[in-house]
Amino acid sequence: LQWLRNPGPHHEKRTLFGDMVCFLFITPLATISGWLCLRGAVDHLRFSSRLEAVGLIALTVALFTIYLFWTLVSFRYHCRLYNEWRRTNQRVILLIPQSANVPANQQSLLGLQSLKRNSKETIV
């Protein structure tokens, strides 16, 4: 969720939002268009020329090929951005276990430091 709140430069946030909006609009449109093309191809095979049916089937294959290509490229791009963000935005806190040779005042200081940690930091 932190990555979605602040993924980096403003253009990355705008690109992610634009791709999500496009995905939400293009998916139902591609599905309906593909179904209508295949339905028309079936009707043409039954009642009229096979050439028009083959053309509609080719149109359906082209439509879904372009849709899948766009989806995979977009998904790969955003995964690459996320992995790059994850690699460069790490916050790690090293907790040292309490031992018998550490004086009591230093143990209490270590305890206070662990209480002040930020929710964005990872405990190791």
Side-chain angles (χ1 to χ4, degrees):
L1 291 176
Q2 181 183 358
W3 179 69
L4 290 176
R5 286 187 210 138
N6 187 16
H10 188 67
H11 72 278
E12 290 178 8
K13 201 181 281 190
R14 190 172 50 231
T15 303
L16 177 64
F17 179 72
D19 283 348
M20 288 189 326
V21 168
C22 287
F23 183 77
L24 290 175
F25 281 120
I26 291 174
T27 300
L29 289 175
T31 304
I32 292 170
S33 298
W35 181 77
L36 287 173
C37 284
L38 289 178
R39 192 77 181 135
V42 168
D43 288 344
H44 279 292
L45 281 175
R46 283 189 200 157
F47 303 116
S48 63
S49 75
R50 291 179 182 243
L51 184 61
E52 291 176 5
V54 170
L56 286 172
I57 291 171
L59 181 64
T60 304
V61 169
L63 175 72
F64 282 119
T65 302
I66 292 169
Y67 172 75
L68 286 175
F69 179 74
W70 174 80
T71 303
L72 291 174
V73 168
S74 178
F75 184 72
R76 183 175 175 230
Y77 171 74
H78 290 294
C79 285
R80 187 177 55 87
L81 283 181
Y82 173 71
N83 287 332
E84 182 181 320
W85 175 86
R86 199 174 73 187
R87 188 177 55 248
T88 58
N89 291 305
Q90 294 181 4
R91 299 185 78 163
V92 178
I93 294 178
L94 181 61
L95 295 178
I96 302 171
Q98 295 180 1
S99 64
N101 16 353
V102 177
N105 61 352
Q106 287 182 354
Q107 285 182 0
S108 64
L109 287 176
L110 288 174
L112 287 175
Q113 288 176 352
S114 66
L115 290 176
K116 292 181 182 179
R117 72 176 178 270
N118 194 345
S119 64
K120 298 176 186 175
E121 298 169 339
T122 304
I123 297 174
V124 177

